[in-house]
């Protein structure tokens, strides 16, 4: 029976390979951490820039809102009309249009001229919007 002699070089290679593997893992882990930190700082910078941009837009929006509110005040309108030489007076009877409330069964379904059936919305806002904006387009059809 042959016994193999103990040589210290038999255990050196696996230990050296394990140390190399640990070093490679540590280097790759460190590089990963650096890459993540760089990405986090880039994202933070981008977020700060976007926040500044949002703040600037909000400031401009608030400024415009105050200007719009000022311009729509009746006192300002009277003053501006007087500056331009315009006369403000209440609207005449022919200028006021009153909308009556529609019942669901009345006009909920309107027949088209070509025989088809068209459903109309019954919400008051949509009806007034349709009447104010879309009615001239319907007449063209």
């Amino acid at each position: 029976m042959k016994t193999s002699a103990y040589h210290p070089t038999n255990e050196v290679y696996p230990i050296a390979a394990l140390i190399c593997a640990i070093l490679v893992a540590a280097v790759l882990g460190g590089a990963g951490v650096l890459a993540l930190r760089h990405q986090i700082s880039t994202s933070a910078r981008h977020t700060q820039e976007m926040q500044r941009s949002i703040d600037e837009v909000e400031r401009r929006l608030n400024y415009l809102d105050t200007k719009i509110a000022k311009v729509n005040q009746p006192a300002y309108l009277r003053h501006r009309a007087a500056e331009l030489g315009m006369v403000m007076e209440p609207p005449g009877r022919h200028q006021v249009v009153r909308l009556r409330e529609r019942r669901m069964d009345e006009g909920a379904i309107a027949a088209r001229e070509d025989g088809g059936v068209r459903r109309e919305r019954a919400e008051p806002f949509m009806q007034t919007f349709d009447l104010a904006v879309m009615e001239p387009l319907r007449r063209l059809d």
Side-chain angles (χ1 to χ4, degrees):
M1 184 173 195
K2 243 178 165 179
T3 61
S4 60
Y6 174 74
H7 293 291
T9 57
N10 289 344
E11 292 179 8
V12 171
Y13 293 124
I15 292 174
L18 183 62
I19 290 174
C20 287
I22 290 172
L23 287 175
V24 167
V27 168
L28 290 176
V33 168
L34 286 177
L36 287 175
R37 283 187 178 182
H38 177 70
Q39 188 175 9
I40 289 170
S41 68
T42 302
S43 296
R45 257 194 321 272
H46 180 70
T47 302
Q48 287 174 346
E49 290 171 7
M50 293 305 292
Q51 187 62 42
R52 279 190 221 113
S53 174
I54 289 170
D55 291 343
E56 182 64 28
V57 169
E58 284 178 352
R59 277 193 293 274
R60 288 180 184 174
L61 183 63
N62 289 336
Y63 173 76
L64 290 176
D65 283 344
T66 57
K67 287 293 185 182
I68 290 170
K70 177 184 173 188
V71 168
N72 286 329
Q73 290 178 352
Y76 179 82
L77 291 174
R78 275 189 236 112
H79 172 70
R80 191 75 177 130
E83 281 181 352
L84 297 173
M86 301 170 84
V87 178
M88 291 181 65
E89 58 187 38
R93 289 183 60 99
H94 66 283
Q95 294 175 320
V96 177
V97 177
R98 298 191 191 278
L99 298 175
R100 62 182 176 85
E101 192 173 318
R102 290 176 72 170
R103 285 188 241 134
M104 286 302 289
D105 58 334
E106 174 192 329
I109 299 176
R112 288 187 178 169
E113 294 175 14
D114 62 356
V117 176
R118 178 185 71 206
R119 293 202 172 268
E120 292 185 12
R121 293 178 289 261
E123 296 93 24
F125 175 75
M126 295 306 292
Q127 291 296 328
T128 57
F129 180 77
D130 283 348
L131 289 173
V133 177
M134 302 303 287
E135 192 63 31
L137 296 176
R138 288 184 186 166
R139 290 183 191 150
L140 294 175
D141 290 339

